[in-house]
Amino acid sequence: MLPQKQAEEAIVSANLSETIENDLREQDEPENHEDHSMFSIQNILWHGGSAYDAWFSCASNQVAQVLLTLPYSFSQLGMLSGVLFQVFYGIMGSWTAYLISVLYIEYRARKEKENVGFKNHVIQWFEVLDGLLGPYWKAAGLAFNCTFLLFGSVIQLIACASNIYYINDRLDKRTWTYIFGACCATTVFIPSFHNYRIWSFLGLGMTTYTAWYLTVAALVNGQVEGVTHSGPKKLVLYFTGATNILYTFGGHAVTVEIMHAMWKPQKFKYIYLAATLYVFTLTIPSATAVYWAFGDQLLNHSNAFSLLPKNGFRDAAVILMLIHQFITFGFACTPLYFVWEKVIGMHDTKSICLRALARLPVVIPIWFLAIIFPFFGPINSAVGALLVSFTVYIIPSMAHMLTYRKASARQNAVEKPPFFLPSWAAMYVVNAFIVVWVFVVGFGFGGWASVTNFVRQVDTFGLFAKCYQCKPPPPAMAAPPPKHH
């Protein structure tokens, strides 16, 4: 009986894989695809659906402007806590990404059995929750995911303005936000994650350069005179820093969309973990080196670029990060574009120009919020505590427990527990621990700390701050007294 059941599962998996691949090829290849070589330039740069594409997308999406704020988090947490929280939240984030991938495959398999097709339709996380758990879970997933992605896009605009200021300070950061808002609006022309192949590859190369530039520049610069490493000093700062790291490894708001862009999404299981392990090689050395060199000065400099000496290497890192933040803006905004298209009935439209025009209203509120709240580091922590904690950690863990709460669901599950945790009971224990930990430490203490810190920034700099954490202008020279004749 057991071999027969395994054979049936293999057939279902093979049929699902074949259907997904056919849907994607029909959706993304032009009608005259017979005339195009499989190895054409368009295929190489544009049509990416392999496991490698997914790995590049996950790794590139995890590390963007957070590279520049992690040294700030280390100054709040101290060196040891900073490293431990990165490893802890990185592994926890990889686990919940695995849960999301399992739930996606389960949802897709159930829909395929009902003969539901997804040609010209991108499955999203809230639809998975709706199909598996009902409309209330759909509403929760939609609310948290969209709000998180909205502020994730806001953070990219703030980061763009903050970075370019260190190359050209003739314009204030608010003016740079206006400019980059217009530039990032061009992401409306990128149809889906299936078309991010070259961008993901380039983006990861850019952040790799920036991370190692931060590491080497800090070591070459050496410790500044009188450097102190007093963190952690206050609970507010400690939990603010921890929540920023929670945010760092919480790029799952686009996991389902990345999976849906794969030819064989069943291969996604451990891709996020592999991406996280690579990200560790970028984040831990850079944050450690910069904190070692500058210590408590980072408490008042949430962007690491602000403390490093101006030279060609730093300017190159700034420019590469600007390009990457444009890419990450597209990553964060694309799911919002999909939701908006579905709301107004434009999601099935094949015309790229029509879809781009329909997407523009999504960019305007993002642009506006970036001008209102230009607080680079504190907004990361606030988003991490209030939104990422639920979107990335709590909801996936609870959704997995509820989806497989019945024995029949566990018996008929498309994806069984992983080899390193082979029992359902063990999975429930891990999921329950994540829900409790993140709710108490991430949302509870982290929410209190990050909101307190955020309010302090508003009180200090005000809304619509023209140039957050900029150097004060030099004092005007006093006019010489008039000569008496």
Side-chain angles (χ1 to χ4, degrees):
M1 190 68 183
L2 188 59
Q4 182 182 354
K5 183 172 180 57
Q6 289 175 341
E8 289 174 355
E9 289 176 358
I11 291 169
V12 169
S13 179
N15 289 340
L16 175 61
S17 178
E18 184 179 352
T19 306
I20 292 170
E21 187 165 349
N22 289 338
D23 278 352
L24 281 172
R25 289 195 185 279
E26 288 176 7
Q27 177 178 333
D28 289 295
E29 290 187 0
E31 292 181 8
N32 60 338
H33 62 272
E34 295 88 352
D35 300 332
H36 287 257
S37 168
M38 183 180 292
F39 299 102
S40 68
I41 295 297
Q42 186 184 32
N43 282 337
I44 292 171
L45 302 181
W46 189 250
H47 294 303
S50 69
Y52 297 104
D53 290 306
W55 182 85
F56 277 112
S57 292
C58 289
S60 179
N61 190 44
Q62 269 196 52
V63 284
Q65 91 296 335
V66 289
L67 269 180
L68 310 177
T69 60
L70 283 174
Y72 167 68
S73 297
F74 270 48
S75 69
Q76 297 169 318
L77 288 165
M79 189 80 79
L80 179 61
S81 290
V83 173
L84 290 178
F85 269 118
Q86 279 204 45
V87 174
F88 178 63
Y89 282 134
I91 293 172
M92 186 184 290
S94 299
W95 173 254
T96 54
Y98 168 77
L99 297 181
I100 291 172
S101 72
V102 168
L103 293 172
Y104 169 87
I105 294 298
E106 184 69 36
Y107 168 78
R108 190 77 188 256
R110 292 184 186 182
K111 288 298 179 182
E112 297 296 347
K113 287 178 183 177
E114 299 170 8
N115 295 319
V116 177
F118 295 99
K119 182 181 177 182
N120 295 326
H121 182 94
V122 176
I123 298 174
Q124 295 187 264
W125 176 229
F126 69 90
E127 293 169 318
V128 173
L129 291 173
D130 184 28
L132 297 176
L133 297 171
Y136 293 110
W137 280 87
K138 173 187 176 180
L142 188 61
F144 277 107
N145 236 40
C146 288
T147 311
F148 168 40
L149 290 168
L150 180 75
F151 279 98
S153 305
V154 168
I155 288 168
Q156 300 310 316
L157 280 189
I158 295 170
C160 284
S162 178
N163 290 343
I164 192 64
Y165 181 78
Y166 298 116
I167 290 182
N168 184 339
D169 59 4
R170 289 190 292 274
L171 297 177
D172 59 76
K173 291 182 181 179
R174 188 168 66 192
T175 303
W176 280 119
T177 304
Y178 292 137
I179 294 169
F180 279 99
C183 294
C184 289
T186 58
T187 57
V188 297
F189 289 100
I190 302 177
S192 73
F193 285 100
H194 196 55
N195 310 115
Y196 270 96
R197 165 173 280 183
I198 187 63
W199 294 114
S200 298
F201 177 78
L202 291 175
L204 190 59
M206 293 167 187
T207 48
T208 299
Y209 170 87
T210 303
W212 286 108
Y213 157 74
L214 291 173
T215 305
V216 173
L219 294 175
V220 169
N221 185 76
Q223 290 187 310
V224 295
E225 186 177 352
V227 65
T228 55
H229 300 86
S230 56
K233 289 196 299 185
K234 298 178 180 178
L235 279 178
V236 169
L237 295 179
Y238 187 84
F239 285 108
T240 300
T243 311
N244 187 39
I245 295 178
L246 182 83
Y247 170 82
T248 302
F249 295 97
H252 310 16
V254 297
T255 299
V256 171
E257 288 84 357
I258 291 173
M259 282 188 70
H260 188 83
M262 294 178 67
W263 300 126
K264 297 180 180 178
Q266 294 90 335
K267 292 184 176 181
F268 186 85
K269 291 181 190 177
Y270 307 119
I271 285 176
Y272 200 92
L273 175 61
T276 299
L277 294 176
Y278 179 77
V279 167
F280 283 154
T281 69
L282 306 182
T283 57
I284 293 176
S286 60
T288 302
V290 175
Y291 178 54
W292 169 82
F294 298 101
D296 290 349
Q297 285 188 27
L298 286 157
L299 288 169
N300 297 314
H301 295 82
S302 54
N303 189 327
F305 281 146
S306 63
L307 291 173
L308 292 165
K310 181 176 173 59
N311 55 39
F313 293 109
R314 193 193 75 164
D315 288 352
V318 171
I319 292 167
L320 291 177
M321 283 303 291
L322 286 172
I323 299 170
H324 185 260
Q325 278 152 352
F326 165 82
I327 298 167
T328 309
F329 182 93
F331 267 107
C333 257
T334 299
L336 292 176
Y337 296 152
F338 293 156
V339 172
W340 178 245
E341 287 170 359
K342 291 170 184 177
V343 168
I344 64 174
M346 293 284 287
H347 190 58
D348 294 336
T349 304
K350 290 187 177 181
S351 169
I352 291 178
C353 292
L354 274 178
R355 290 179 71 183
L357 193 62
R359 291 171 168 189
L360 277 176
V362 176
V363 179
I364 295 170
I366 294 169
W367 207 350
F368 188 61
L369 286 168
I371 294 165
I372 299 176
F373 303 114
F375 312 122
F376 188 54
I379 197 171
N380 281 11
S381 300
V383 168
L386 304 179
L387 299 172
V388 174
S389 56
F390 284 93
T391 300
V392 171
Y393 300 97
I394 294 174
I395 290 179
S397 300
M398 291 184 66
H400 189 273
M401 288 192 288
L402 291 174
T403 298
Y404 298 108
R405 66 190 181 278
K406 295 180 180 179
S408 59
R410 294 193 293 272
Q411 186 177 0
N412 297 318
V414 178
E415 292 284 342
K416 302 299 182 184
F419 69 92
F420 57 87
L421 205 66
S423 75
W424 287 99
M427 291 192 74
Y428 267 73
V429 169
V430 172
N431 290 344
F433 169 78
I434 291 172
V435 170
V436 173
W437 175 275
V438 175
F439 186 79
V440 174
V441 177
F443 176 70
F445 289 109
W448 160 72
S450 58
V451 170
T452 301
N453 189 35
F454 188 81
V455 169
R456 285 178 182 170
Q457 302 299 317
V458 173
D459 290 340
T460 303
F461 296 95
L463 299 177
F464 298 97
K466 191 173 184 179
C467 212
Y468 173 67
Q469 287 190 345
C470 296
K471 293 179 181 178
M477 296 291 291
K483 293 182 179 180
H484 296 283
H485 294 287

